[in-house]
Amino acid sequence: MNRIDGKIALITGGARGMGAAEARLFVTAGATVVITDMDVSEGQAVAEKLGPACRFLAQDVALEADWIRVVEQIEEQYGRIDVLVNNAGLFRVMGLEDTSLEAWEQLVAINQTGVFLGIRSVVPGMKRRGSGSIINLSSIAGLAATPRAPAYAATKWAVRGLSKSAAAEFAPFGVRVNSVHPGLIDTRMLDELGSTTERLQAQVPLGRLGTVDEVARLVLFLASEDSSYCTGHEFVADGAIKA
């Protein structure tokens, strides 16, 4: 189950957290993985640890030129991209009145424009081959109101809507697009909330924080042929916070 033997996968934001966990699991499941990140030292360390089945490329997902370069390099070396995981993201807690235009534009550039550029960059090749899976990391902030982080929430709702529209557009070509919506996952991003682990766990009906490996397993399912009839939908991993 959930094998992706021989597939070529591109995972953005792969230097740490959920992206690094996805890369580890994908390699274990038989894929060749390219991870990208702006953090070169951590990204290279992850790739070196995973061995010859993983390669690191520096990338700013908000830059169109970086997407063109990365996709060209992968297709030149491996011939194709079978799976794209738009994992790179930025989280900021700030009220709407306290959100500067600069902060808003930074969140939109990374969380929203980066996903758009990623889809647009890999879809032509996937359409030619008649197959492909694109997994976009949204959030439970893209499912319901998030009063303390409206700018972040706006980008995650956008990812949800973009995923649905892209799924409908590219389904006739055999390309699937889904969004994944993690809840409170035990990563560095939670430091932005400025709360204790105990208080965060109290918000989760399941009684604990999620792990990066639990999210990675969901992403792997969507990358594999076990989800071959799943496209245009939200897949939630939140311990029933938004149930």
Side-chain angles (χ1 to χ4, degrees):
M1 297 291 289
N2 296 340
R3 295 295 301 181
I4 49 175
D5 296 281
K7 290 188 181 293
I8 309 300
L10 168 57
I11 302 174
T12 67
R16 67 185 69 82
M18 289 186 289
E22 291 153 8
R24 287 193 297 271
L25 188 58
F26 274 36
V27 168
T28 301
T32 295
V33 179
V34 177
I35 59 172
T36 71
D37 208 290
M38 294 179 66
D39 190 327
V40 174
S41 61
E42 287 201 43
Q44 288 177 337
V46 170
E48 289 172 7
K49 187 174 182 180
L50 293 179
C54 185
R55 178 185 178 187
F56 170 77
L57 295 174
Q59 182 189 25
D60 180 346
V61 296
L63 298 180
E64 182 178 25
D66 273 21
W67 274 106
I68 293 171
R69 172 180 54 80
V70 164
V71 170
E72 285 181 348
Q73 285 185 254
I74 296 172
E75 291 185 340
E76 180 179 342
Q77 181 170 0
Y78 303 109
R80 67 190 191 281
I81 297 172
D82 299 304
V83 179
L84 169 63
V85 183
N86 276 312
N87 174 82
L90 183 66
F91 178 47
R92 291 288 181 267
V93 173
M94 49 192 169
L96 196 146
E97 292 178 295
D98 299 321
T99 302
S100 67
L101 179 58
E102 181 182 9
W104 171 272
E105 290 178 338
Q106 184 185 35
L107 282 163
V108 169
I110 295 172
N111 295 357
Q112 182 176 336
T113 303
V115 173
F116 157 72
L117 289 171
I119 296 172
R120 196 183 66 175
S121 298
V122 302
V123 152
M126 290 181 174
K127 286 171 64 178
R128 285 194 301 272
R129 291 184 298 277
S131 67
S133 177
I134 298 172
I135 302 112
N136 300 320
L137 270 292
S138 180
S139 165
I140 56 171
L143 297 173
T146 309
R148 296 181 61 199
Y152 173 77
T155 65
K156 294 305 183 178
W157 278 85
V159 168
R160 179 186 178 190
L162 177 59
S163 299
K164 285 183 170 295
S165 295
E169 181 173 349
F170 302 124
F173 302 94
V175 179
R176 299 185 295 114
V177 187
N178 292 287
S179 58
V180 170
H181 298 254
L184 294 174
I185 308 301
D186 191 8
T187 67
R188 293 185 201 173
M189 277 192 172
L190 290 188
D191 295 342
E192 181 73 14
L193 293 172
S195 186
T196 65
T197 298
E198 290 74 19
R199 287 180 178 177
L200 293 174
Q201 288 176 336
Q203 301 176 38
V204 185
L206 205 55
R208 62 174 178 83
L209 301 180
T211 69
V212 292
D213 290 329
E214 288 173 312
V215 177
R217 287 194 291 271
L218 178 53
V219 173
L220 175 60
F221 166 71
L222 293 172
S224 76
E225 293 308 307
D226 293 318
S227 61
S228 58
Y229 203 54
C230 301
T231 191
H233 290 286
E234 305 90 347
F235 291 80
V236 184
D238 73 344
I241 292 177
K242 298 301 182 184

